[in-house]
């Protein structure tokens, strides 16, 4: 059974940096398309960044240039390096995984994912 566990969230100030991690167990990590989503109270869960099995990445416009998604297949771990954090980045961050995705368009749709972590809270104070 595939399990995803996120870590690294916390309370930071505007302009700070933070690294989130997501460890996948119970499946072949290298074969999964991996994505970070986030959700704030009262808002829909939204795409932050996504990475396919080849390491190709896409970002939401709101984080491009500030966030970097990466994966370390040898460690079964997905990362999200966040810099220049803003109060609007405050949210619960979730990692998601799926083996059947083939396009970035599909990867942007949260309903396409079979596996989710429990989330890690990021709070950015002004």
């Amino acid at each position: 059974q595939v399990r995803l566990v996120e870590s690294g969230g916390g309370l930071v100030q505007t302009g700070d940096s933070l690294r989130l991690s997501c460890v996948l167990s119970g499946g072949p990590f290298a074969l999964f398309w991996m994505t970070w989503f986030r959700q704030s109270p009262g808002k829909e869960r939204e795409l932050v960044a996504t990475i396919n099995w080849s390491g190709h990445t896409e970002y939401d416009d709101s984080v491009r240039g500030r966030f970097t998604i990466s994966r370390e297949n040898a460690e079964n771990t997905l990362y999200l390096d966040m810099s220049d954090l803003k109060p609007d980045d405050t949210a619960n961050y979730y990692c998601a995984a799926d083996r059947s995705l083939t396009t970035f368009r599909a990867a942007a749709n949260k309903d396409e994912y079979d596996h989710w972590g429990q989330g890690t809270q990021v709070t950015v104070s002004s």
Side-chain angles (χ1 to χ4, degrees):
Q1 182 177 353
V2 173
R3 185 179 180 218
L4 299 171
V5 179
E6 302 99 331
S7 62
L11 173 62
V12 297
Q13 295 185 332
T14 297
D16 282 353
S17 299
L18 207 57
R19 170 177 255 202
L20 305 184
S21 301
C22 171
V23 178
L24 185 149
S25 60
F29 178 78
L31 299 183
F32 282 90
W33 194 304
M34 302 294 298
T35 300
W36 288 101
F37 288 87
R38 66 186 179 186
Q39 187 169 20
S40 305
K43 293 187 177 181
E44 291 286 322
R45 191 168 295 190
E46 62 179 10
L47 173 78
V48 177
T50 188
I51 184 168
N52 70 4
W53 347 266
S54 301
H56 291 98
T57 60
E58 288 284 345
Y59 297 88
D60 183 76
D61 287 344
S62 65
V63 306
R64 187 174 291 114
R66 298 188 298 121
F67 291 11
T68 301
I69 188 172
S70 61
R71 63 191 300 158
E72 179 52 68
N73 289 343
E75 297 177 356
N76 293 342
T77 303
L78 176 72
Y79 297 103
L80 185 68
D81 288 292
M82 306 184 292
S83 63
D84 190 22
L85 282 161
K86 307 176 187 300
D88 284 349
D89 296 318
T90 295
N92 205 358
Y93 284 70
Y94 298 89
C95 69
D98 198 271
R99 287 188 62 174
S100 62
L101 289 169
T102 58
T103 68
F104 282 98
R105 181 172 183 173
N109 184 352
K110 63 183 183 301
D111 296 329
E112 294 285 341
Y113 290 83
D114 287 336
H115 309 288
W116 289 88
Q118 82 290 347
T120 185
Q121 178 67 35
V122 173
T123 303
V124 185
S125 65
S126 57

